[in-house]
Structure formats: C-alpha cells, structure tokens
Amino acid sequence: MTTETLRENPPTTIIAAFFGFLVSTVSAIAGALLILSARDEIAATLRRANPGMPADQLDRLTLLGQLVPVAIAVVIALVYLWLSFKLKAGRNWARVTLTVFTLLQAASLLTTAPSWAASVSCGVAVVATVLGYLPPSNRYIAGVRRAG
C-alpha cells in the first residue's frame, strides 16, 4: 500500500480525532472572541489598578488588553489546525504534539477559572487525543511511517 493510498483512507478514529480537534479549535476561538465583548470589565479593572490614568491612555490599554489575547488565540488556532491536518495525514509527530498541547490545555483548566468555551474545547481535545491512539489509529500511523 502506498503512502498516497493510506492518506486517502484514514480510519474512522483518525477522521473523528481530526474533526474533534477542529471543533476544539473553533470553541477555543469562540472563547477568545468573548474577550472582545468584555471591554467594560477590562477598562474597569485597568481603571482600578491605575486610578490617575488619562482616558485616552486607558482606551488604548483596554484595546490592547482585548487584541493581544485574541491575536495569540488565532496564532495558536492556526498551529492547531495545521497539526490536525498533519494528524489526518498520518504524522505521528503531529499526534504527539497535539497530545502535549491537550495536556497543557487541561493543566491550564486546573490553574484558572475556565470559561465554558475553554472547558468544551479541552473536553473535545481530550476525546480527540484518545481517538488518535486507538488501535486503528496506531495501525494507520505505523502504515504511513512504513510507506513513507
């Protein structure tokens, strides 16, 4: 069996893991976008921390406080999507990297007060990770490695 044939026929477990990581990524982005709706809360926190700050500076800092986390989330999402496609192509290094990211994501839930989106994203990523290590997934990745 050629690498091309293997890539065209990933098992259901890999396809489910792939879609699971896609759903996890979308829910994480949704959570990050909630920051855009938290402008008043961010401004109030900054105002309390810096009582004498001029209004224009407070506005700029509030905007920065919204945009930086969203930009970071978008970059992470792009990397996550790229890794998801590499997993679907049978790359073990992508599976391992996604596993590490999922473990870090789970650890972050234990150390913060997670949003609903973060909890959903992590839960789906955990399920996708498990699917990526089931026997059909292992056989597929081993087959791609042998053919490659």
Side-chain angles (χ1 to χ4, degrees):
M1 196 174 271
T2 67
T3 304
E4 197 169 304
T5 304
L6 281 169
R7 285 187 192 143
E8 291 173 6
N9 299 310
T12 306
T13 54
I14 288 289
I15 298 298
F18 169 74
F19 281 109
F21 285 120
L22 294 182
V23 168
S24 176
T25 302
V26 169
S27 62
I29 289 293
L33 292 176
L34 289 175
I35 293 170
L36 296 177
S37 67
R39 179 172 178 71
D40 294 339
E41 291 88 352
I42 294 169
T45 301
L46 289 170
R47 195 174 302 110
R48 279 192 305 274
N50 306 289
M53 184 180 287
D56 64 328
Q57 191 176 4
L58 181 68
D59 286 343
R60 284 194 305 271
L61 204 53
T62 300
L63 183 60
L64 190 64
Q66 289 180 288
L67 294 182
V68 169
V70 171
I72 290 169
V74 168
V75 169
I76 291 170
L78 291 172
V79 170
Y80 217 64
L81 290 174
W82 175 69
L83 289 168
S84 299
F85 279 95
K86 292 299 181 181
L87 170 66
K88 187 177 172 202
R91 301 293 185 243
N92 189 53
W93 58 265
R95 175 172 67 166
V96 171
T97 305
L98 285 165
T99 301
V100 170
F101 283 179
T102 300
L103 290 172
L104 291 171
Q105 186 179 13
S108 77
L109 291 183
L110 298 174
T111 60
T112 62
S115 67
W116 64 268
S119 298
V120 168
S121 176
C122 185
V124 172
V126 167
V127 170
T129 300
V130 169
L131 289 168
Y133 285 95
L134 292 178
S137 299
N138 290 335
R139 285 191 297 274
Y140 171 68
I141 288 174
V144 168
R145 190 178 317 148
R146 279 192 306 275

